[in-house]
Structures are given as C-alpha cells and as structure tokens.
Amino acid sequence: MPTPEEVTFGPLLFWSIGMMVVAAGCLLMFLFTYQKRLLQQQLRLRTAEAAHQQALLAAIIEAQEGERERIGQDLHDGIGSTIATAKLLVNRLSSQPTPENSAELLALVEELMAAAVHDARSISHSLYPAVLARFGLAEALQHLVDVCNETGALAIELELDYTEPLALAQELALYRICQELIHNALKHAKGASCLQVQLLQHGPQLTLEVADDGCGFPAAPVPAPTGAGLRNIDVRVQMLGAHLQQHSAPGQGSRFVIQLKAPA
C-alpha cells in the first residue's frame, strides 16, 4: 500500500514534467518565431542594400555620362572652333601668294594654336590630373587653386594640413569633389569676393571644406541633390563612405563640408 508521501509525490512529478514540456514547447516556439523574424529582417536589409547599390550604380553611370557630355562640349566649342578658325586663316594664306597682312594672319594663327594647346592641356588635366598621381592630393589642390586664381574670376584661399595621404582612388574622389565645388562657386556664387578651401586632418578624421561669401541660396525642402554637379558630388561622397554637410542662406554665402574617416 503506497504511503501518503508517494501519493503526494506522484501527481507533483507528473505536473512538473508537464510544465517542463510546456516550457520547452514555448521556448521552441519563441526560438522559431525569433529566427523567422531575424531572417525576414536580414532579407529586408539585403533588399535595401541591393536597391541602394543599384541606385548608386545608376548615379555613377549618370555622372560618367555627364562628364563625357561636358568634355565633348568643351572639345567642340573650345578646341574644335579654335582649330576650325585657324584652318580658315591657313587656307586664306595658301590661297594667295603673298597677302598684304600675312604677318598679322600668321600671328593670329599662332595665337589660336597656342589657345588650342592650352585648352587641350586643361581638358587633359580635367580628365586625369597628372600632378595628383605624382605628388599627391595637397599639391594637386594647390595647382588647381593656382590655375583658378590666374583667371582672376574669384580670389581663392587654400589651407592645407594633410600629413597622412590616403589611397590614390580616395584622393582622386576628394579632388573631383573639390574641383566641382570650386567650379560651382565660380559659376553661381554671385557677388562673392573670396572662396576658402580647407583640407584639414585631425587624427583619423579628414575634413574638406569649401566656403564662399556670395549670394547663397535657400535651403532645399528636400535633401536630395539637384543639378548634375551636386549629383556627382553626392555619388563620390557615397563612394567614399563620407558625410556631406551643406550650409547656405540667401545673402550669407554657402559652405560645403565633407568629413571622411581615414582607414587605419
């Protein structure tokens, strides 16, 4: 005959085993639900990353096509028209034995050919700045600023504190960004008296800043870049994994700050 302790212990044992089975079932259900949600989240992240990469690739292609179009227009409107004019003058010289103003025509042809050579060098430099590959980003920016200052359109001041060079691809992207920002300032900063360019390095943090004291522009209601130049800048900023800040207001100039953390 079972003792009272055995009668009491039996149902308690079955109840405990039942609770353990229920708890194990709940744990398995929780793990299954958590794994399912985790897989769904990873799938959403991969889908978003694929869409971002596709959009970035489309933007890169658009930027490249814009660059090709601008180079083609420069070749047609600059070098093409200059050489065509020089050809007409040469034909005029060859059509007459000794034109009265032959010396003036020859001088004009020399002047046109010198201008064509200068334009060809400018386009070649815009395609790939040789000084960047030879001497680095700091010297390339100094050369860019010196060339722009020679035009007399706008005084440009350059401040450099760049002691730890980046990889050539990163330096080229930063150079293109600075080149585009300077070009935009020369074109759109009405009433500006000075353009300041800074390339400063503090530890792993690298900052490129281009600021003018021109007319400025209203803050865009949507942070999406407008215009081919700003789209090109945005694409290169994304490729660098950098961060772009844009500050501007009517009558207060504009300032662009690109911050990049250099890889160890």
Side-chain angles (χ1 to χ4, degrees):
M1 183 175 182
T3 62
E5 290 79 4
E6 294 176 346
V7 173
T8 305
F9 181 74
L12 180 62
L13 178 62
F14 285 114
W15 183 82
S16 300
I17 293 174
M19 291 298 296
M20 291 175 63
V21 170
V22 172
C26 292
L27 179 61
L28 290 175
M29 183 63 68
F30 171 77
L31 292 176
F32 176 77
T33 304
Y34 175 78
Q35 187 70 18
K36 184 178 180 181
R37 290 181 179 178
L38 183 61
L39 290 176
Q40 290 177 347
Q41 183 179 5
Q42 290 178 349
L43 181 60
R44 286 194 297 267
L45 289 175
R46 290 176 181 175
T47 303
E49 183 179 359
H52 174 72
Q53 293 294 332
Q54 186 175 4
L56 182 60
L57 178 60
I60 292 174
I61 294 174
E62 181 184 359
Q64 290 176 343
E65 292 299 324
E67 290 288 342
R68 292 190 182 99
E69 182 181 357
R70 184 166 65 180
I71 292 169
Q73 185 176 357
D74 289 342
L75 288 172
H76 178 271
D77 297 341
I79 298 178
S81 60
T82 302
I83 294 178
T85 304
K87 184 176 181 296
L88 291 175
L89 294 175
V90 171
N91 290 338
R92 183 177 174 184
L93 284 170
S94 62
S95 64
Q96 301 177 11
T98 53
E100 297 180 357
N101 57 343
S102 59
E104 296 178 1
L105 293 177
L106 284 173
L108 185 55
V109 169
E110 291 179 358
E111 182 179 349
L112 289 173
M113 297 309 296
V117 170
H118 179 270
D119 291 341
R121 288 177 177 173
S122 298
I123 294 175
S124 175
H125 181 77
S126 66
L127 285 173
Y128 188 80
V131 66
L132 176 66
R134 293 181 181 178
F135 305 108
L137 180 59
E139 290 294 332
L141 290 181
Q142 185 66 63
H143 181 264
L144 175 63
V145 169
D146 292 341
V147 172
C148 292
N149 279 329
E150 287 180 2
T151 64
L154 180 62
I156 304 177
E157 298 177 357
L158 177 63
E159 181 180 355
L160 294 172
D161 185 5
Y162 182 65
T163 56
E164 297 293 334
L166 301 178
L168 179 60
Q170 293 176 306
E171 289 194 339
L172 180 59
L174 286 171
Y175 177 84
R176 293 300 189 199
I177 291 172
C178 186
Q179 186 181 37
E180 192 68 46
L181 289 174
I182 292 177
H183 174 76
N184 287 345
L186 294 176
K187 186 176 180 181
H188 300 293
K190 308 290 185 184
S193 60
C194 182
L195 179 64
Q196 294 183 338
V197 179
Q198 293 180 334
L199 181 66
L200 305 178
Q201 199 169 36
H202 300 287
Q205 188 75 23
L206 181 65
T207 303
L208 173 64
E209 180 175 331
V210 179
D212 65 78
D213 57 351
C215 59
F217 51 88
V222 181
T226 58
L230 291 180
R231 285 198 300 270
N232 293 344
I233 292 171
D234 187 65
V235 167
R236 291 189 169 99
V237 168
Q238 292 185 50
M239 291 174 61
L240 285 169
H243 179 63
L244 170 64
Q245 294 180 352
Q246 177 179 327
H247 308 277
S248 184
Q252 299 182 13
S254 59
R255 183 166 63 96
F256 294 84
V257 181
I258 295 91
Q259 293 181 328
L260 169 67
K261 181 171 290 187

